[in-house]
Amino acid sequence: MFSLPFKLLSEIFFTFHYQLFPADKCKSKRGRGLKKQVFEPYMTVEDVSHVNLRKENNPLFCFQYDKWDIFLEGVEARNRALNGDIVVVELLPQEQWKVITYDHLSQNSKSLKYERQWSSERTVAVSHKAKISHCNIAFHVMKAGKPQEGSSTPQTNEKTLQKTAKVVYIVEKKHSRAVTGSLKFFPDKPFALFSPVDHRVPRINVPLSDCPEDFNIRPEVYANTLFICRITDWTADNAFAQGRLAKTLGQAGEIEPETEGILTEHSVDFSDFTPEVLECLPQPRPWCIPPEELEKRKDLRRDCIFTIDPATARDLDDALSCKLLPDGNFEVGVHIADVSYFVKENTALDEAASQRATSVYLVQQVVPMLPRLLCEELCSLNPDFDRLTFSVIWKLTPEGKILSEWFGRSVIRSCAKLSYDHAQSMIEAPEKLFSPNELQLDNPEHPIDEIHEAVLRLHSIAQNLRRQRISTGTLKLDQVKLSFNINKESMMPNSCSVYEYKDSNRLVEEFMLLANIATAHHIHRKFPDLALLRRHPPPKTKMMEELKEMCSQLGIDIDLSSPGALQESLNNLTGKDEYSAARKAVLTHLCSRPMQMALYFCSGVLKNEQLFKHYALNIPLYTHFTSPIRRYADIIVHRLLASSLSMCLKNGPKAMEKQALHCNNKKMLAKRVWELSSELFFGLLVRESGPLDSAAMVMRVLDQSFDVLVIKYGVQKRVYCKATKSLQSFRYHQVGKKSELTLVWLPENQDGPPFEQVISIFSLVEVQLTSEGSPLKYTALLKRPGSQDLKYQHLNISWPCLRSKTCDFLV
């Protein structure tokens, strides 16, 4: 595909969530065997290149994405663009915009009515650069724009204009065009039909010659086989794409085939490193640090330095030290593996690391960014080995005030590999004398008491640093993370639990933040036009306004004026009862929707320094410095840091920004891979151990379903009213932004009356997770309310008390 100029590609991309109707409505009813036009032809690259996507007083311009939502209705409007693609869209004339009507409706009606808005005046169609981003599978329409002036519709019959558009050009095909799925045989066709697991992707015609040899004779043998197919073409006259089979993965529902499918779909390179890459690794082996290199570095090998990581971690890229000074202050060091020493610029190793951009973590494995010799041995800060590092060393007061700061290359020798649990035990038992066996240490060079004392000092300083950060107004929206107990022989999940974040985690986090902030200021001061920084844009204004309105109608007094105010609201609103963690998770989920992703960028490309800010941390400058073994962006920052210490610098802002965009994309894909891996293993757990019962808290209410947080397992799932047994009927009702479903249950005995249950956000319900017929699919079924639910109803109606920020929840 013809590439647009880099200046055009490096614009801030505008994100839209395209919405999908249910699968049977998604497929085009045209184009089946008929060569009629299904999709509109794309604009030419010349036409797109002449569009000024930023100039708002032109007929062709770009809206600011936090004020507008554009609805792409159906497969024709998406015009062959797939999830993640960067596209140009054209607004449809105003008479084709939607009017969304909210009303009281019954079970057999939709809660969102659509009407055409006819007008004698036509608006000028505009082009709009957008990024097709992750969407909700279920039917949901986002609102945009404002009602017409002078309209005075009641809250229960609210009408809102919804702008609609169509894709007219694909700027960049971010989607890999590789998908997993199954094959279906048609006796009278020269091709097989490939059905992707992801139903946002079209069905694909595949040549029979690509299929297994006996597929046309025994197609039933392959009914449960997973394949990888790559889309090669999708013409405007066909509702289906064309593709070629790339690989047979294996049986659907098994860990390895499913995992390989996830990695392939998300463009994760999990192949072995090439001989050219491996030739870049240090020789001979075992490798030792050259004496001339030791002379260039600050020698910290005699200092008490140790790592704190998850118990299973093998890529140890950060270590800590804390030394009491005679004046009562502390010398605190953060020591980061010097990966840039081994990964030289413009080598095959550097190219491979640059392309991978990040290590990708799954439940049962890691796809490393670097060869294992580096990430698990030569760069990993393993105890009792000399290791090359970049160090940031501060002189700090006990309160955490920085008195001095030093950056430099160093060499360390870690004396202990502590797990988070080890460090937590030390924090919780400050007077205890730990033995080497308790901490799984083998003759550490420094006494255990010295290590214990250093951990306690770091913990005390970290608490003060955290208090200072909170006082300046920071925001942390912790997402629920599942932790799996895996059988080492079968690799199947035995159980799972919600990961608990402890003081030992916070200790490490504070000093990593401190090092990243310090490094950001250092490299920006030295290279104001070339620093690789990380910014977090503020949340989308319109969505925040809608969140504020919805919370108000729910009786929740939440302050969204600043990140610190929002954090204080979250802390004060969650209460201290047994469901406080679930309540905070639901609130966090609601507050996360308007938030934008943090992004890498080059300071020389983004000229307005107001845009450099990190919203959540509420700081002017931030970067990533502390994880170079698993993030390529950190290697770039290390090179900048090295250049600031009188070493040469080769790349310019253009190349830096290009790499920043690549790192952003790969980081987003890696995050999605982790989520899908967790879903895979949880699906296995439900299949092997289910059905599973749990209390659940409602997170969102739709017209025929509602989303819940399953409290025991920390997963989110949709509950469909029509799939609920013993349910007589249900009604959907919305006032403003507050939605409710009234469920009418059949009486338990013939003489009894029906029982009504009201479902709204924060309602507590009981659900049962059961495995479906297809592999790894599971359903959340609503259980009939019992006497236990009286407590849930009482808990739910206590929300209005929260208008007082200091008021705890009443049970």
Side-chain angles (χ1 to χ4, degrees):
M1 187 184 69
F2 186 88
S3 295
L4 291 176
F6 175 79
K7 183 178 180 181
L8 184 60
L9 285 174
S10 63
E11 297 284 350
I12 302 172
F13 294 138
F14 298 83
T15 303
F16 299 89
H17 294 263
Y18 70 82
Q19 308 303 323
L20 294 182
F21 294 91
D24 58 335
K25 296 182 181 179
C26 235
K27 304 299 180 183
S28 172
K29 296 180 181 179
R30 299 177 292 167
R32 299 184 181 181
L34 300 176
K35 289 296 181 182
K36 61 171 64 174
Q37 203 79 351
V38 179
F39 302 103
E40 288 191 18
Y42 292 132
M43 292 174 63
T44 65
V45 68
E46 290 79 12
D47 291 339
V48 175
S49 298
H50 287 95
V51 174
N52 187 336
L53 295 171
R54 294 185 298 176
K55 195 170 182 181
E56 297 197 11
N57 60 353
N58 270 359
L60 300 174
F61 64 91
C62 197
F63 290 119
Q64 188 177 346
Y65 65 100
D66 66 342
K67 295 182 179 178
W68 305 93
D69 288 326
I70 306 296
F71 180 44
L72 304 180
E73 181 180 9
V75 67
E76 287 88 357
R78 294 196 297 278
N79 199 2
R80 296 164 284 167
L82 297 181
N83 188 50
D85 289 353
I86 297 169
V87 301
V88 175
V89 304
E90 180 181 301
L91 276 185
L92 297 177
Q94 185 173 343
E95 58 262 30
Q96 295 183 37
W97 295 356
K98 301 294 185 183
V99 173
I100 306 173
T101 303
Y102 298 87
D103 205 350
H104 302 275
L105 298 164
S106 65
Q107 174 180 348
N108 297 322
S109 303
K110 291 182 179 178
S111 64
L112 298 179
K113 290 182 177 177
Y114 291 91
E115 300 171 357
R116 295 282 183 186
Q117 173 66 37
W118 299 104
S119 171
S120 58
E121 297 182 3
R122 293 175 61 89
T123 58
V124 179
V126 298
S127 275
H128 196 134
K129 192 173 181 184
K131 182 174 179 181
I132 301 291
S133 61
H134 184 66
C135 67
N136 295 320
I137 293 174
F139 171 69
H140 171 58
V141 180
M142 295 189 299
K143 301 198 301 179
K146 297 180 180 179
Q148 289 181 302
E149 291 184 8
S151 64
S152 57
T153 54
Q155 280 190 313
T156 54
N157 192 28
E158 179 187 354
K159 294 184 178 182
T160 304
L161 274 178
Q162 168 70 64
K163 294 180 184 294
T164 56
K166 61 184 178 183
V167 172
V168 295
Y169 187 77
I170 299 179
V171 177
E172 187 175 357
K173 292 181 178 179
K174 290 282 191 179
H175 191 285
S176 67
R177 266 59 183 176
V179 289
T180 59
S182 57
L183 287 174
K184 187 175 182 180
F185 178 67
F186 292 94
D188 57 339
K189 300 291 184 183
F191 54 81
L193 186 64
F194 183 88
S195 297
V197 174
D198 184 350
H199 68 255
R200 296 171 298 181
V201 180
R203 286 174 284 184
I204 305 165
N205 293 331
V206 174
L208 281 175
S209 58
D210 283 6
C211 302
E213 290 184 5
D214 59 345
F215 175 71
N216 58 343
I217 302 172
R218 299 190 301 159
E220 69 281 356
V221 173
Y222 300 94
N224 200 36
T225 301
L226 270 185
F227 298 89
I228 291 179
C229 180
R230 293 190 180 274
I231 295 175
T232 56
D233 194 15
W234 193 358
T235 58
D237 61 1
N238 201 328
F240 297 161
Q242 292 77 50
R244 303 296 300 269
L245 279 191
K247 189 174 182 181
T248 303
L249 293 175
Q251 290 298 105
E254 295 182 358
I255 292 174
E256 291 309 313
E258 296 281 357
T259 297
E260 186 173 343
I262 291 170
L263 294 173
T264 303
E265 283 191 9
H266 292 82
S267 303
V268 176
D269 183 357
F270 56 95
S271 62
D272 293 336
F273 288 96
T274 65
E276 292 77 14
V277 170
L278 298 179
E279 285 176 6
C280 299
L281 299 178
Q283 301 287 347
R285 298 171 197 159
W287 180 83
C288 295
I289 301 173
E292 60 271 20
E293 185 62 33
L294 288 174
E295 293 176 2
K296 301 175 185 177
R297 295 173 177 263
K298 189 179 186 73
D299 193 341
L300 302 173
R301 287 176 289 179
R302 293 182 179 275
D303 288 11
C304 178
I305 298 175
F306 48 87
T307 60
I308 304 175
D309 287 280
T312 57
R314 291 185 289 182
D315 51 350
L316 314 179
D317 46 16
D318 57 86
L320 295 166
S321 62
C322 184
K323 188 189 302 182
L324 178 63
L325 299 174
D327 61 1
N329 294 312
F330 296 97
E331 181 184 279
V332 175
V334 170
H335 315 278
I336 307 299
D338 188 359
V339 179
S340 62
Y341 173 86
F342 298 97
V343 183
K344 304 297 185 185
E345 287 190 75
N346 302 320
T347 63
L349 175 59
D350 184 42
E351 177 64 22
S354 169
Q355 287 302 310
R356 296 193 178 206
T358 180
S359 294
V360 179
Y361 291 83
L362 299 99
V363 171
Q364 82 284 22
Q365 68 184 81
V366 179
V367 180
M369 182 181 74
L370 299 170
R372 296 195 183 276
L373 177 66
L374 292 182
C375 62
E376 295 181 7
E377 295 184 41
L378 300 186
C379 292
S380 185
L381 306 182
N382 299 322
D384 303 325
F385 288 93
D386 293 354
R387 290 291 180 256
L388 301 177
T389 50
F390 254 117
S391 295
V392 188
I393 299 176
W394 301 275
K395 183 177 181 180
L396 298 175
T397 66
E399 294 73 34
K401 182 181 179 181
I402 298 175
L403 302 177
S404 65
E405 183 176 82
W406 178 87
F407 288 91
R409 280 184 144 153
S410 56
V411 57
I412 70 166
R413 186 180 181 88
S414 172
C415 66
K417 176 188 175 183
L418 299 178
S419 70
Y420 282 119
D421 288 339
H422 293 151
Q424 187 65 30
S425 297
M426 290 178 163
I427 292 169
E428 292 175 354
E431 305 298 329
K432 182 177 177 179
L433 298 176
F434 288 88
S435 67
N437 289 338
E438 286 179 277
L439 303 177
Q440 298 178 0
L441 300 178
D442 187 17
N443 298 319
E445 291 188 9
H446 291 264
I448 292 178
D449 287 354
E450 184 181 354
I451 299 171
H452 189 180
E453 186 62 33
V455 169
L456 293 176
R457 289 168 178 165
L458 288 169
H459 172 57
S460 176
I461 298 170
Q463 286 182 307
N464 290 326
L465 289 171
R466 186 176 182 84
R467 276 192 287 269
Q468 290 174 28
R469 280 201 309 111
I470 292 172
S471 69
T472 60
T474 64
L475 172 66
K476 186 172 183 182
L477 297 177
D478 289 318
Q479 301 295 325
V480 175
K481 182 179 178 182
L482 277 182
S483 178
F484 289 89
N485 182 340
I486 303 295
N487 185 307
K488 293 183 179 179
E489 294 182 1
S490 67
M491 297 305 295
M492 295 290 286
N494 292 327
S495 62
C496 74
S497 58
V498 176
Y499 184 79
E500 186 180 357
Y501 201 72
K502 299 180 179 179
D503 284 340
S504 55
N505 301 83
R506 297 184 185 95
L507 182 159
V508 175
E509 179 188 35
E510 285 306 319
F511 289 105
M512 297 305 111
L513 286 172
L514 192 65
N516 286 334
I517 294 168
T519 304
H521 284 274
H522 181 87
I523 62 174
H524 185 251
R525 186 167 57 250
K526 296 289 185 179
F527 306 108
D529 295 327
L530 202 58
L532 182 70
L533 301 174
R534 188 162 175 82
R535 66 188 183 93
H536 184 208
K540 300 178 182 180
T541 305
K542 187 179 189 321
M543 293 182 72
M544 289 291 272
E545 290 171 354
E546 291 178 346
L547 174 63
K548 176 74 173 177
E549 182 182 345
M550 184 189 71
C551 287
S552 177
Q553 291 169 355
L554 289 169
I556 304 171
D557 187 8
I558 190 166
D559 188 348
L560 304 175
S561 60
S562 68
L566 175 54
Q567 185 67 65
E568 185 178 358
S569 294
L570 289 173
N571 293 340
N572 291 335
L573 287 173
T574 51
K576 295 180 180 179
D577 57 76
E578 60 181 308
Y579 297 108
S580 60
R583 198 176 295 108
K584 186 169 185 178
V586 173
L587 272 172
T588 298
H589 174 77
L590 293 174
C591 295
S592 297
R593 289 182 189 170
M595 298 297 164
Q596 302 188 66
M597 292 184 64
L599 301 166
Y600 297 112
F601 71 101
C602 177
S603 57
V605 173
L606 196 59
K607 298 299 183 182
N608 184 355
E609 290 198 12
Q610 288 299 310
L611 300 177
F612 290 15
K613 292 181 178 179
H614 195 290
Y615 172 81
L617 293 175
N618 198 22
I619 53 176
L621 296 174
Y622 190 66
T623 194
H624 276 165
F625 159 73
T626 55
S627 297
I629 292 177
R630 61 182 178 90
R631 289 190 304 231
Y632 189 77
D634 299 53
I635 295 179
I636 296 175
V637 170
H638 278 227
R639 288 173 180 164
L640 288 167
L641 194 53
S643 298
S644 75
L645 304 174
S646 304
M647 298 179 69
C648 63
L649 192 62
K650 299 177 182 178
N651 290 330
K654 186 175 179 179
M656 188 75 76
E657 179 67 10
K658 185 177 180 180
Q659 185 62 51
L661 293 174
H662 181 67
C663 288
N664 289 333
N665 185 52
K666 287 294 187 179
K667 188 173 180 66
M668 180 186 68
L669 290 173
K671 180 177 182 291
R672 184 60 184 149
V673 166
W674 165 257
E675 292 168 350
L676 290 172
S677 180
S678 293
E679 290 176 15
L680 167 65
F681 273 79
F682 190 75
L684 284 168
L685 184 68
V686 175
R687 186 183 74 183
E688 299 299 317
S689 306
L692 307 176
D693 293 338
S694 174
M697 186 169 283
V698 177
M699 308 178 73
R700 181 185 183 192
V701 179
L702 302 176
D703 57 329
Q704 299 184 45
S705 61
F706 53 94
D707 296 338
V708 297
L709 171 71
V710 184
I711 294 173
K712 185 175 180 180
Y713 302 103
V715 299
Q716 298 175 21
K717 199 64 180 172
R718 180 156 293 176
V719 177
Y720 293 94
C721 295
K722 289 183 178 179
T724 303
K725 296 178 181 179
S726 302
L727 201 62
Q728 179 175 297
S729 64
F730 58 88
R731 301 186 305 275
Y732 175 75
H733 171 67
Q734 180 167 358
V735 177
K737 298 295 184 293
K738 183 180 179 181
S739 299
E740 287 185 349
L741 275 168
T742 301
L743 311 182
V744 182
W745 293 86
L746 292 170
E748 292 189 271
N749 53 69
Q750 293 183 348
D751 299 329
F755 173 74
E756 288 193 354
Q757 181 183 19
V758 177
I759 301 294
S760 60
I761 294 180
F762 300 107
S763 292
L764 274 159
V765 297
E766 284 281 340
V767 297
Q768 184 174 83
L769 305 180
T770 60
S771 184
E772 293 182 6
S774 54
L776 307 185
K777 300 284 186 180
Y778 68 95
T779 304
L781 298 175
L782 181 65
K783 296 179 69 176
R784 185 186 184 92
S787 59
Q788 180 72 8
D789 290 88
L790 294 175
K791 181 175 73 172
Y792 299 166
Q793 296 293 330
H794 177 71
L795 183 70
N796 199 37
I797 62 174
S798 69
W799 271 98
C801 298
L802 296 174
R803 290 199 172 277
S804 169
K805 288 189 176 181
T806 58
C807 181
D808 287 337
F809 284 86
L810 306 176
V811 180

